[in-house]
Amino acid sequence: MSAVGTGYPLSFDVEYPERLSRWLIFVKWLLVLPHWIIVGLLGFVAEVMTVIAWFAILFTGRYPKGLFDFVVGVYRWSYNASVYPFLMRDEYPPFSMSTGQYPLTYEVEYPERLSRWLIFVKWLLVLPHLIVLSILSIVYLFTVFVAWFAILFTGRYPRGLFDFAVGYLRWSARVNAYFILLRDEYPPFSLRP
């Protein structure tokens, strides 16, 4: 799925599962631990790459393509490893940064040019988003709690709660991509695609 035409140059979506395992909800957090360890280490490397990219953007106005692809891959893996324990999918996530291996879409269009001056203030410009997202995170965690019981009793994640969870993660992904210099377009205050 391409981000082109979605209104923002980042695509994020999770396929809705018709049925979910009633017993996996008890152990997903444990099963995903190897992913979290690896993604944690790769996340540190991605942070270093972002610092290198900051200087590259300052001097050239471009995010080096190899670094960009690596950072996007790390965040894709991170989202794959997040939707699993937060009950949105039953398929075990792949140990991979590649696209198309999990029923989750995380794509960021590569920018040909980035602002050399915006890199100095993006941290400040995301503050309104962070305030709203911190409030929504409480709602998100509550919906996961409710979904846990819904899955336990019905084997289904309520569609409205699922759509809210995907929207919250989408909004968060857009803000994160802006903050870590992947895009210059200011993210919308929206849960929608």
Side-chain angles (χ1 to χ4, degrees):
M1 182 172 168
S2 172
V4 176
T6 62
Y8 194 78
L10 180 147
S11 287
F12 183 93
D13 200 14
V14 182
E15 288 181 29
Y16 179 73
E18 291 301 323
R19 302 293 298 167
L20 290 166
S21 169
R22 294 177 185 198
W23 69 270
L24 267 179
I25 60 175
F26 294 99
V27 295
K28 283 183 176 183
W29 64 273
L30 182 62
L31 297 174
V32 81
L33 285 178
H35 281 280
W36 283 347
I37 292 168
I38 295 168
V39 168
L41 295 172
L42 288 174
F44 174 75
V45 175
E47 289 175 13
V48 171
M49 300 291 182
T50 301
V51 171
I52 294 168
W54 189 92
F55 285 103
I57 294 165
L58 177 63
F59 293 118
T60 69
R62 297 178 64 100
Y63 199 121
K65 180 77 165 109
L67 298 182
F68 182 90
D69 291 341
F70 178 81
V71 171
V72 168
V74 169
Y75 280 92
R76 180 180 300 116
W77 189 344
S78 174
Y79 283 113
N80 286 346
S82 294
V83 300
Y84 179 73
F86 284 106
L87 313 177
M88 298 173 83
R89 299 300 308 178
D90 272 350
E91 303 87 355
Y92 193 71
F95 285 86
S96 172
M97 293 188 236
S98 299
T99 187
Q101 297 186 3
Y102 202 63
L104 177 141
T105 301
Y106 177 80
E107 296 292 334
V108 184
E109 288 181 25
Y110 178 72
E112 291 302 321
R113 304 292 296 169
L114 291 166
S115 169
R116 295 178 184 199
W117 308 111
L118 201 51
I119 61 174
F120 292 102
V121 294
K122 283 185 175 182
W123 65 273
L124 181 63
L125 297 175
V126 298
L127 289 179
H129 281 283
L130 296 180
I131 292 167
V132 175
L133 284 171
S134 67
I135 295 166
L136 286 178
S137 70
I138 296 165
V139 177
Y140 170 68
L141 292 175
F142 179 73
T143 64
V144 172
F145 177 76
V146 171
W148 190 90
F149 283 101
I151 294 166
L152 178 64
F153 293 115
T154 68
R156 297 178 65 96
Y157 200 123
R159 186 62 192 244
L161 297 181
F162 184 87
D163 291 341
F164 172 80
V166 171
Y168 169 79
L169 293 173
R170 180 183 299 116
W171 187 345
S172 180
R174 290 173 179 159
V175 171
N176 188 53
Y178 179 78
F179 179 71
I180 63 172
L181 314 176
L182 297 175
R183 297 300 309 184
D184 275 350
E185 297 83 4
Y186 194 69
F189 283 83
S190 175
L191 301 171
R192 288 184 271 159

